[in-house]
Amino acid sequence: MKERIYVCHTFYHVYVTFLKELNLPEAQRGQADLVLSRLSIDFGDLKSRVEKTGLFERVLEYDEKRDTCFPELQKYRTDKGNIVSNMLSRIFFTQKFSKLLEQDIPVDFKEYKDIYIYCDSDPIGYYLNGHRIRYHALEDGLNCLVHFDAARYDNRGHFEMKAFFSKKLNLIFVQNGYGKYCIDMEVNDIAAIPNPCPYYVERPRQPLVDALTDKDKDLILQAFIRDKETLESLLADADSSEKKILVLTEPLCDLETRERIFRDIIREYEPKGRIFIKPHPRDELDYRKLFAQYPQFDPTVPMEMLNFFPNVHFDTVVGVLTETKGITFADERIRLGADFMDAYEEPEVHRQNEQV
């Protein structure tokens, strides 16, 4: 039987996977498989760069498919007008979706002792529960459940009943620890989560970072930095004596509103220092064109990589809904939050936890 496998949906997921593997004893490294799901992001040549590190036995790509790829499922997604009919539709949907996913599964998951899944709300969660394969879930982003409890929000209205149908009966599927075959779910800080699930286990990220050696950090940079010369040039530019402000973009709202959001942020902070932009990897707004006057980082480079450059320093990092607590290269970390977003979209869109 094989040791471990990780299914990742974002660059951040791969970064956390590196942290977990590099915190193992040397003798246990190189025994895990890594799966890059192309469901929502283009990983580019990350596969080949990760392979060159030698940290994983195999690196595979996975063409994971959403339910919208299967027209035969859509009849189960329409509101029938009452909870009994809707629950029956959901039961049929869960069973059929799990079966349809078989055709694209890249490995035999039953061959592994331990399976780690980020975003088990994605189709892979349906597949594993439908095929009775036990796995560990991991928090999608740092402290993401603190701000958005997706399981409770997606299943608001009779949540306890739905959780029972999932965890105890496996008739439907509820993500983030409530699936019958989800052993547990790793989160950064249980105490900060408003409605913690009994199956959450606390695995803080910072101790994993603190335990890295210089050699480990170089290995991570080897995997994630695809253009080191350009990055070093930008970092050298950022090393001047003037105050520097890093703006983190996010795939918020529609593109027109998103442009307005970040123009407003830059207008607010530009008088305080020189602006740098770090686009989110899933942000499709063309910052190179629309904000060409500001230095910009490669969107595919996780912002956490900047923690590994000892001479990098920003006075302020500003994000909207991004959790900034993992940043150590800035004096001030600002998360503008829901109050800021109220001016750009209906509050119920981003105040999910207030609706569960």
Side-chain angles (χ1 to χ4, degrees), residues 136-192:
H136 305 275
L138 296 97
E139 195 173 24
D140 179 23
L142 184 66
N143 292 334
C144 65
L145 297 178
V146 174
H147 309 294
F148 179 24
D149 188 335
R152 288 182 176 272
Y153 179 78
D154 292 346
N155 295 278
R156 56 197 184 279
H158 306 285
F159 173 77
E160 298 300 334
M161 180 190 71
K162 293 172 184 176
F164 177 82
F165 270 58
S166 176
K167 193 68 180 179
K168 301 302 181 182
L169 304 180
N170 199 34
L171 291 175
I172 64 172
F173 174 65
V174 176
Q175 72 270 39
N176 292 353
Y178 296 97
K180 182 173 177 62
Y181 291 91
C182 179
I183 300 168
D184 51 36
M185 180 171 179
E186 295 184 9
V187 300
N188 183 63
D189 183 0
I190 292 179

Side-chain angles (χ1 to χ4, degrees), residues 10 52 302:
T10 70
K52 289 177 183 176

